Amino acid sequence: MKAFMDLHTHSLAAGHAYSTLLENIDAALAVGIRYLGMSEHGPTSPGGPHEFFFSNYKVIPREYDREELSGRVVPVTGGRLHLLCGVEANICDADGKLDLEERYLQKMDYALASIHPFAFTAGSRKENTLASVRAFQNPYVKILGHPDDGRFPLDYEELVREAKQAHVALEVNNSSLNPRSSRQGGRENIIELLKTCMKYEQPVIMGTDSHMCFAIGKFVETEQLMRELDFPTELVLNYAPENIHKLINITL
Ligand SMILES: [Zn+2]
Ligand SMILES: [Zn+2]
């Protein structure tokens, strides 16, 4: 199966990522990604972008391809790659409050919402789950990022049932499967998440969470785990380009 989207990527603007947006686009084109999402960390991330970063997306062209003679990446109407401009907003408290106000969210293509240790104080399993559910009930949030971190345990039955109701995709984060990830118990938690998604036929989206261009569009560890679990490919949004319209309400 071929993945056509990677909606969880970071660039230099994150403060702890190492490629430019143009390098990310180049890498995405090289592996056949059609929908690349720039999901920069929200403003409470140390070293991350100021809110103004998210209000200037209007200057960024949205369609790209390679120039025939030089092979350089250029903006082209009708190009093979569509760029979506979003945010990985921080979930800040038990009410699911995000670190970016509606006036910014409403201008961008989509938001992921994630729990990170620098913005959220871990509570009980019930409290972490409630914070996540309330965050994705925000209509601008389309994806819950890396719900797999053992430092913030979640009730997967509750999470998946609520995600289904809210029509939100749960992310299977490829970088959480890296043994060097700072998240804890990623593999075990993702297995439980995937099994629960199978039970409720809840779609997932694979995200690389790339912090350098070489990782973009590559889901090797995730796909291997999904094969081991016989996870149905129909529930993986990345495999059909038209699924972008199920996820995000934009005309492309
Ligand atoms: Zn994250
Ligand atoms: Zn991320």
Side-chain angles (χ1 to χ4, degrees), residues 8-188:
H8 191 163
T9 69
H10 298 283
S11 70
L12 278 178
H16 60 278
Y18 306 97
S19 298
T20 65
L21 177 56
L22 193 55
E23 287 165 343
N24 285 349
I25 293 169
D26 195 355
L29 272 167
V31 294
I33 288 290
R34 285 201 212 159
Y35 298 102
L36 173 68
M38 173 174 69
S39 56
E40 211 44 88
H41 283 287
T44 57
S45 304
H50 186 269
E51 320 182 299
F52 290 178
F53 178 89
F54 301 98
S55 62
N56 204 27
Y57 283 166
K58 57 186 178 292
V59 305
I60 305 177
R62 301 310 183 88
E63 293 175 296
Y64 295 85
D65 215 321
R66 292 189 191 283
E67 205 173 48
E68 214 167 302
L69 289 177
S70 68
R72 278 189 312 145
V73 174
V74 285
V76 180
T77 306
R80 279 176 296 160
L81 184 134
H82 297 267
L83 179 69
L84 306 173
C85 296
V87 61
E88 181 182 13
N90 290 295
I91 299 175
C92 300
D93 60 24
D95 289 329
K97 185 175 179 300
L98 303 179
D99 64 343
L100 209 53
E101 289 174 28
E102 185 174 353
R103 63 196 164 109
Y104 296 104
L105 294 170
Q106 70 188 185
K107 285 188 191 155
M108 55 181 78
D109 295 326
Y110 70 109
L112 265 103
S114 306
I115 287 181
H116 296 110
F118 50 78
F120 184 85
T121 307
S124 64
R125 189 178 296 271
K126 198 174 170 186
E127 286 162 345
N128 300 332
T129 306
L130 191 62
S132 303
V133 169
R134 285 178 173 161
F136 67 56
Q137 284 171 343
N138 180 321
Y140 300 103
V141 174
K142 308 299 179 187
I143 300 168
L144 182 68
H146 47 76
D148 57 35
D149 188 344
R151 294 173 297 177
F152 307 96
L154 296 167
D155 177 338
Y156 288 115
E157 285 275 331
E158 177 80 6
L159 190 80
V160 170
R161 279 199 306 263
E162 293 288 348
K164 195 167 174 83
Q165 203 143 42
H167 300 290
V168 166
L170 298 171
E171 182 191 51
V172 181
N173 187 292
N174 200 66
S175 72
S176 298
L177 291 168
N178 182 331
R180 291 189 298 169
S181 169
S182 53
R183 293 176 206 132
Q184 287 173 12
R187 187 180 165 83
E188 296 68 36

